[in-house]
Structure formats: C-alpha cells, structure tokens
Amino acid sequence: MTHDFDARFSTAADYLIARFLAHQKLENYITLKLVQIENPNAIVEVPKSNLRWTASKASLVELIYGLHTTRCFNDGHIELVEIIRSFEKLCSVDLENFHKVLTEVKARKMNRTKFLQSLQETLERHFDDGDAYRQL
C-alpha cells in the first residue's frame, strides 16, 4: 500500500507501525467493552488523551456551551458540568472557573459567539478551497 507514501514524511516502516498502534487501540477498546459487558455498573477510567486545548478557555467554554444547548450529548439529559469535566480530561485543560468564563461570554457586547463564528468561517473557507478531502 504505497498510495499515500511521501518520501519527505514517511518511511517504509510507517505502515507497519501504524498497524501495530491500531491493533493496540483495538485491543484496548475490546478489553474496555468486555469489562463494561461483564459489569455494567463498573466505573471505567478513560485513558489519558494526547489532545491539549491551545486556544483560549473562553473559546472552549463557548464551544461546550453551544454543544450543550443543542443537546448533542445524551439527548440533552446531561448536566453542563459533566460535559465540562469530560472536556477537561479530553483536552488536558482546567476549566474550574467555567461559570465565570460563561458569564463573560454572555456579557460580550458584540459577537457573543466569536469562536463559533470563526470556526464556521474557517471551515467554509476550507471547503471552498477544495482541500477538505485531501487533508482529512
């Protein structure tokens, strides 16, 4: 499989390493699901993520609040604080003062959804450039 081979960015062993890592992740996923099946009430620790939020905390709070208000998680049957705590773990960020940040976002005089609008504009531009499917 050399359809995605680029000598500037990859080696002949990259495919093997990618398969090995994929198999490790699959094994972890299957093990987690087996534990959940055997004991549905078990609390399963979510593995530490490599993601790190590098934009502003206000942007992340704006995004999370937007997702929460559109009832994207658990059909809307979940508290905002639970979503916040999950994103803290996922993105390695501390949002302990998210209520204060949310109040500040709501109090903006102009462009209260600044991050979401920027996200939309960037994605639209990306799609318009025609590079959307080549880079995914």
Side-chain angles (χ1 to χ4, degrees), residues 27-131:
E27 179 186 358
N28 291 341
Y29 175 79
I30 291 171
T31 302
L32 174 69
K33 290 301 175 185
L34 286 173
V35 168
Q36 289 175 338
I37 289 170
E38 291 170 0
N39 187 358
N41 297 327
I43 298 174
V44 180
E45 185 64 31
V46 176
K48 183 146 174 70
S49 171
N50 291 332
L51 292 177
R52 188 173 54 89
W53 185 261
T54 55
S56 72
K57 288 182 182 183
S59 295
L60 182 57
V61 169
E62 183 181 324
L63 174 65
I64 294 169
Y65 195 66
L67 293 169
H68 175 67
T69 57
T70 54
R71 305 170 62 93
C72 291
F73 302 108
N74 299 2
D75 294 320
H77 302 291
I78 187 168
E79 296 294 323
L80 176 61
V81 69
E82 291 181 63
I83 301 170
I84 292 283
R85 297 302 170 234
S86 295
F87 270 85
E88 284 180 322
K89 290 177 186 172
L90 177 68
C91 299
S92 303
V93 65
D94 177 20
L95 297 173
E96 196 61 40
N97 60 347
F98 76 92
H99 287 294
K100 180 179 181 246
V101 174
L102 185 56
T103 301
E104 292 169 0
V105 168
K106 288 180 179 180
R108 290 177 184 159
K109 296 291 184 204
M110 296 181 62
N111 202 5
R112 292 193 299 188
T113 57
K114 176 172 50 175
F115 178 71
L116 294 177
Q117 289 175 356
S118 170
L119 191 65
Q120 178 188 4
E121 291 166 4
T122 303
L123 186 57
E124 291 284 347
R125 234 183 352 265
H126 183 72
F127 287 157
D128 290 342
D129 290 344
D131 291 335

Side-chain angles (χ1 to χ4, degrees), residues 2-11 14:
T2 59
H3 67 278
D4 60 351
F5 183 75
D6 185 344
R8 296 174 296 171
F9 298 107
S10 57
T11 68
D14 286 353

